[in-house]
């Protein structure tokens, strides 16, 4: 055991050890902390917007600075918080839930994190220099093109998006390969936990969706830097092409954000009702159906553009249809709650909050799927309200529930239930006080992205109410931060399985050791730990002097071979710095891309230089 821990522990200490580690748990925790910091910064952006709009003809922010705040807020929340946070949760928990010691490509995983971190720093350094982005989170052309957006702000947006797309695709590849090829023996496809299924589905969505926006953002950068004419109508380009490319990514992006939340909901409900989720096959098929249909809805963001009405009718039908698989999941959860023994701990409260907020957002989504209604409320605060109900309900409520649920596993200590309940009620009240009035503001004609309004419009009272709600939300987040700090210092010791849950992450220590599992567990049923209790069968035979993981078959997870993982290295960080330098340099001079590529090539060669051959071993001696 001591040799195994020594093998998997970082071979370096201090700052060098921190920079060279490729341990998936360490990388995932950095992702989570960085993404949460982005959540706080995006929240501060939103607070400044609400302060500006709290009364008519306010002059705290001018129109240019307001543009920077709302553009940075949207880009931060969509690209730097929501997707990275969800994939980070998958990078930490998917290997543990499938009984593996590591993700499939640990060095690539570290490279993805550093690339994402560079994107975060780049965006906010530009913002603090008063050159922050001002093109929204969607960068519509031709307004974001060279004709109407001088300076480098649109270029900063394009390269920030590129950084996050690289990181997102890398994370998706990790999760897909880990879930399909590194599962514990006996974990056949019909025994995979629903959270893992949700991350697999989302990872496939990322692989299909994100290359589109990466290509679009590079096309935009080329239009601006080297005078290609892809999107500017004045030069023979097509502005509608941008909307097609962006929304073919942008609409699935919403589902990429909240489908992991549905997986979190399933994990929490299972534990706090002491019952497996009703209708497991229907739940899995609903996740897949949601993902497939999500790629057929992008045009409902473009109903105000000159598209054929017959085509619009098909996208209206698809937009309404996607409510069916989501409805199936909600009924399965209700059936589980109905037949289980519900324990109202803090994670379960956030599940109930999810039901309230997400269903309201879903109903208004069906409303805007209708072309006549959408044309009336297009680009108004009604859409802002709908959007935030869906994402806060579908992603942030499950995420806070997951924080309370899995915090003991990550840190070994429990969060305070008292503070957790305070946070929940403040958050539920704050969200509804902030965003429900926006429905009415939208119906009364208040358009999005205006930095001020006249008193004669009559919008002042509802805007003030929404701003008061934002203060309540901020109070809720402060309570959460106090809870985390207090619990890290003096929280109750958690033990390995404080909630008496059923999935494999609870079969190891809290927090997990360097190797995650001293012995690889063997799965005998979907009930997992509930059936096996303290007598979990294990598989032996992996070497203790090498970082080996077990490779299993896709369908039945039968042992196939052993695979040795690479050790810690500095190459991922160096390559990320070279790639970051290339893309950031290209913002200011196209030659920067060439120089960065030249620097990156020897680093990539050093990374790829083979270690002394040890070769995969066959599974004969694995028992």
């Amino acid at each position: 055991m001591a040799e195994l821990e020594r093998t998997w522990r970082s071979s370096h200490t201090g700052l060098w050890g921190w920079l060279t580690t490729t341990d998936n748990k360490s990388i995932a925790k950095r992702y989570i902390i960085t993404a949460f910091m982005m959540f706080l910064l995006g929240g501060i952006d939103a607070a400044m917007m609400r302060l500006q709009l709290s009364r008519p003809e306010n002059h705290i922010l001018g129109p240019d600075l307001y543009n920077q705040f709302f553009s940075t807020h949207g880009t931060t929340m969509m690209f730097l918080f929501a997707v990275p946070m969800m994939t980070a949760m998958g990078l930490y928990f998917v290997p543990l839930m499938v009984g593996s010691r590591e993700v499939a490509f640990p060095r690539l995983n570290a490279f993805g994190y550093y690339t994402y971190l560079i994107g975060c720093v780049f965006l906010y350094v530009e913002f603090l220099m008063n050159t922050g982005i001002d093109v929204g989170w969607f960068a519509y052309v031709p307004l974001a093109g060279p004709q109407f957006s001088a300076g480098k702000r649109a270029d900063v947006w394009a390269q920030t998006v590129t950084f996050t797309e690289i990181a997102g695709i890398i994370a998706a590849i990790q999760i897909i390969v880990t879930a399909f090829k590194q599962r514990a023996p006996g974990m056949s496809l019909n025994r995979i936990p629903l959270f893992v299924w949700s991350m697999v589905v989302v990872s496939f969505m990322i692989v299909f969706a994100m290359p589109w926006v990466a290509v679009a953002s590079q096309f935009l950068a080329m239009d601006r830097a080297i005078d290609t004419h892809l999107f500017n109508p004045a030069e023979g380009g097509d502005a509608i092409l941008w909307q097609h490319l962006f929304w073919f990514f942008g609409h699935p992006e919403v589902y990429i954000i909240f489908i992991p939340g549905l997986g979190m909901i399933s994990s929490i409900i299972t534990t706090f009702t002491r019952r497996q989720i009703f209708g497991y096959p229907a739940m899995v098929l609903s996740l897949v159906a949601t993902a497939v249909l999500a790629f057929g809805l992008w045009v409902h963001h473009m109903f105000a553009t000159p598209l054929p009405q017959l085509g619009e009718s098909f996208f209206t039908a698809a937009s309404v249809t996607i409510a069916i698989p989501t409805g199936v999941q909600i009924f399965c959860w209700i059936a589980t709650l109905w037949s289980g023994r519900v324990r109202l701990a803090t994670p379960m409260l956030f599940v109930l909050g999810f039901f309230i907020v997400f269903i309201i957002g879903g109903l208004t989504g069906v409303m805007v799927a209708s072309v006549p209604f959408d044309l009336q409320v297009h680009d108004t605060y009604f859409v802002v309200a709908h959007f935030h109900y869906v994402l806060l309900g579908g992603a942030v409520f499950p995420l806070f529930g997951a924080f309370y649920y899995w915090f003991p596993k990550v840190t070994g200590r429990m969060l305070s239930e008292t503070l957790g309940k305070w946070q929940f009620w403040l958050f539920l009240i704050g969200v509804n006080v902030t965003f429900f009035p926006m429905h009415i503001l939208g119906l009364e004609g208040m358009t999005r992205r205006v930095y001020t309004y006249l008193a004669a419009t009559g919008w002042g009272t509802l805007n003030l109410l929404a701003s008061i709600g934002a203060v309540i939300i901020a109070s809720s987040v402060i309570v959460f931060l106090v809870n985390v700090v207090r619990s890290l210092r003096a929280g109750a010791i958690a033990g390995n399985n404080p909630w008496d849950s059923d999935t494999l992450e609870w079969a190891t220590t809290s927090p997990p050791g360097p190797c995650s599992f001293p012995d690889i567990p063997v799965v005998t049923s979907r009930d997992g730990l509930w059936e096996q209790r303290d007598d979990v069968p294990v598989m032996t035979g992996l070497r203790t002097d090498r970082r080996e993981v077990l490779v299993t078959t896709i369908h039945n997870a039968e042992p196939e071979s052993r695979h040795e993982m690479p050790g810690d290295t500095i190459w991922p960080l160096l390559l990320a710095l070279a790639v970051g330098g290339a893309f950031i340099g290209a913002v200011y001079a196209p030659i920067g891309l060439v120089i960065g590529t030249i620097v990156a090539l020897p680093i990539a060669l050093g990374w790829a230089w083979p270690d002394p051959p040890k070769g995969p071993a066959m599974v004969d001696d694995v028992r």
Side-chain angles (χ1 to χ4, degrees):
M1 179 64 186
E3 183 181 51
L4 184 66
E5 294 287 309
R6 190 166 53 252
T7 300
W8 283 87
R9 186 174 292 117
S10 175
S11 53
H12 304 286
T13 58
L15 178 61
W16 186 253
W18 195 88
L19 295 175
T20 57
T21 185
T22 57
D23 173 54
N24 78 295
K25 299 182 291 296
S26 298
I27 299 297
K29 283 191 285 188
R30 293 176 196 179
Y31 259 121
I32 292 171
I33 292 170
T34 308
F36 198 82
M37 290 177 67
M38 290 298 106
F39 174 71
L40 296 179
L41 290 174
I44 292 171
D45 296 336
M48 293 302 297
M49 293 157 60
R50 287 313 321 164
L51 181 62
Q52 166 67 16
L53 295 173
S54 59
R55 63 188 182 90
E57 299 182 74
N58 210 348
H59 297 289
I60 296 173
L61 302 179
D64 177 66
L65 191 55
Y66 186 86
N67 274 352
Q68 292 186 59
F69 269 111
F70 89 72
S71 300
T72 305
H73 166 73
T75 302
T76 299
M77 290 303 194
M78 295 301 290
F79 292 106
L80 303 181
F81 160 63
V83 176
M85 177 63 83
M86 291 305 183
T87 53
M89 297 293 282
L91 289 171
Y92 192 97
F93 288 106
V94 166
L96 291 175
M97 294 177 87
V98 302
S100 180
R101 288 174 173 170
E102 183 55 279
V103 293
F105 309 106
R107 290 185 176 181
L108 190 64
N109 191 34
F111 170 73
Y113 169 71
Y114 289 123
T115 306
Y116 160 67
L117 181 62
I118 290 170
C120 296
V121 173
F122 180 48
L123 179 69
Y124 273 90
V125 166
E126 294 287 342
F127 180 73
L128 293 175
M129 294 171 65
N130 198 30
T131 53
I133 58 175
D134 59 355
V135 293
W137 75 277
F138 35 76
Y140 279 160
V141 293
L143 294 178
Q147 187 176 2
F148 297 102
S149 185
K152 299 297 181 183
R153 290 175 171 180
D155 303 280
V156 171
W157 179 89
Q159 300 301 26
T160 300
V161 169
T162 302
F163 287 128
T164 61
E165 303 315 316
I166 292 173
I169 292 171
I170 288 173
I173 292 170
Q174 305 285 342
I175 291 168
I176 291 171
V177 178
T178 304
F180 280 140
K181 293 301 294 179
Q182 292 181 206
R183 301 199 307 278
M187 185 180 282
S188 52
L189 291 179
N190 62 347
R191 293 173 180 171
I192 294 178
L194 285 170
F195 175 71
V196 177
W197 267 122
S198 71
M199 292 307 307
V200 168
V201 168
V202 157
S203 298
F204 276 107
M205 293 182 72
I206 289 173
V207 169
F208 282 103
M210 288 198 171
W212 292 89
V213 73
V215 168
S217 66
Q218 288 309 301
F219 281 179
L220 176 61
M222 289 164 58
D223 266 9
R224 297 177 55 81
I226 57 175
D227 296 328
T228 55
H229 308 306
L230 294 161
F231 298 126
N232 192 344
E235 299 164 333
D238 187 351
I240 299 297
L241 172 63
W242 169 265
Q243 292 208 29
H244 280 297
L245 289 172
F246 182 83
W247 288 116
F248 189 78
F249 146 83
H251 192 81
E253 163 94 337
V254 175
Y255 295 85
I256 287 170
I257 290 170
F258 80 70
I259 285 180
L262 306 185
M264 295 169 184
I265 294 292
S266 293
S267 294
I268 295 171
I269 288 181
T270 300
T271 296
F272 291 94
T273 59
R274 303 288 302 158
R275 188 191 190 289
Q276 290 295 340
I277 292 291
F278 177 86
Y280 175 92
M283 292 289 288
V284 176
L285 292 174
S286 295
L287 289 172
V288 175
T290 302
V292 173
L293 289 170
F295 282 93
L297 313 181
W298 80 93
V299 169
H300 85 206
H301 295 271
M302 302 167 58
F303 283 160
T305 61
L307 295 175
Q309 287 189 337
L310 180 62
E312 290 177 346
S313 66
F314 286 117
F315 285 95
T316 292
S319 302
V320 174
T321 305
I322 203 166
I324 296 174
T326 307
V328 169
Q329 292 178 81
I330 289 173
F331 282 113
C332 287
W333 288 322
I334 292 173
T336 309
L337 292 168
W338 186 266
S339 56
R341 290 171 291 168
V342 179
R343 181 156 53 115
L344 286 179
T346 302
M348 198 62 203
L349 289 177
F350 277 98
V351 169
L352 300 180
F354 153 84
F355 279 114
I356 297 169
V357 177
F358 183 68
I359 288 175
I360 293 174
L363 290 175
T364 54
V366 174
M367 294 167 69
V368 297
S370 166
V371 175
F373 187 84
D374 183 83
L375 289 175
Q376 292 299 315
V377 299
H378 186 80
D379 263 349
T380 71
Y381 264 81
F382 188 92
V383 178
V384 177
H386 156 68
F387 190 58
H388 283 82
Y389 264 89
V390 169
L391 288 185
L392 288 168
V396 181
F397 271 88
L399 191 61
F400 274 124
F403 284 159
Y404 282 90
Y405 178 59
W406 278 315
F407 187 86
K409 178 52 59 184
V410 177
T411 67
R413 293 183 180 274
M414 303 293 289
L415 284 168
S416 164
E417 279 288 294
T418 303
L419 289 176
K421 288 170 181 170
W422 269 100
Q423 190 218 338
F424 165 74
W425 286 110
L426 285 171
F427 197 65
L428 181 66
I429 294 169
V431 165
N432 284 285
V433 171
T434 302
F435 296 105
F436 195 84
M438 293 185 187
H439 292 106
I440 304 169
L441 285 169
L443 292 173
E444 291 181 350
M446 182 172 177
T447 55
R448 306 168 69 177
R449 309 172 197 124
V450 291
Y451 87 102
T452 190
Y453 51 90
L454 298 174
T457 59
W459 300 336
T461 303
L462 289 176
N463 270 300
L464 178 60
L465 185 60
S467 298
I468 292 171
V471 174
I472 299 173
I473 292 175
S475 304
S476 167
V477 175
I478 291 171
V479 170
F480 175 72
L481 292 174
V482 169
N483 199 355
V484 169
V485 173
R486 177 179 173 276
S487 299
L488 286 174
R489 298 181 62 180
I493 301 299
N496 292 348
N497 191 0
W499 306 116
D500 193 17
S501 303
D502 62 324
T503 40
L504 286 183
E505 76 272 25
W506 303 101
T508 188
T509 57
S510 300
C515 67
S516 296
F517 294 97
D519 295 304
I520 303 301
V522 175
V523 177
T524 57
S525 82
R526 196 185 301 155
D527 285 336
L529 301 185
W530 285 348
E531 180 182 275
Q532 298 158 342
R533 292 295 169 187
D534 297 328
D535 189 22
V536 180
V538 298
M539 184 217 71
T540 61
L542 295 180
R543 294 183 62 153
T544 57
D545 60 341
R546 297 179 183 178
R547 294 185 179 185
E548 285 191 342
V549 297
L550 182 68
V551 178
T552 53
T553 58
I554 292 177
H555 188 261
N556 289 324
E558 295 171 350
E560 198 171 56
S561 66
R562 300 182 304 197
H563 178 71
E564 184 179 349
M565 290 293 177
D568 297 339
T569 177
I570 195 67
W571 294 118
L573 173 58
L574 295 180
L575 187 60
L577 290 173
V579 171
F583 282 116
I584 294 173
V587 170
Y588 300 98
I591 192 66
L593 192 61
V594 178
I595 296 173
T597 304
I598 293 173
V599 174
L601 284 176
I603 298 174
L605 182 64
W607 181 344
W609 200 262
D611 294 330
K614 296 173 183 175
M618 299 307 293
V619 76
D620 298 347
D621 56 346
V622 178
R623 296 181 174 83

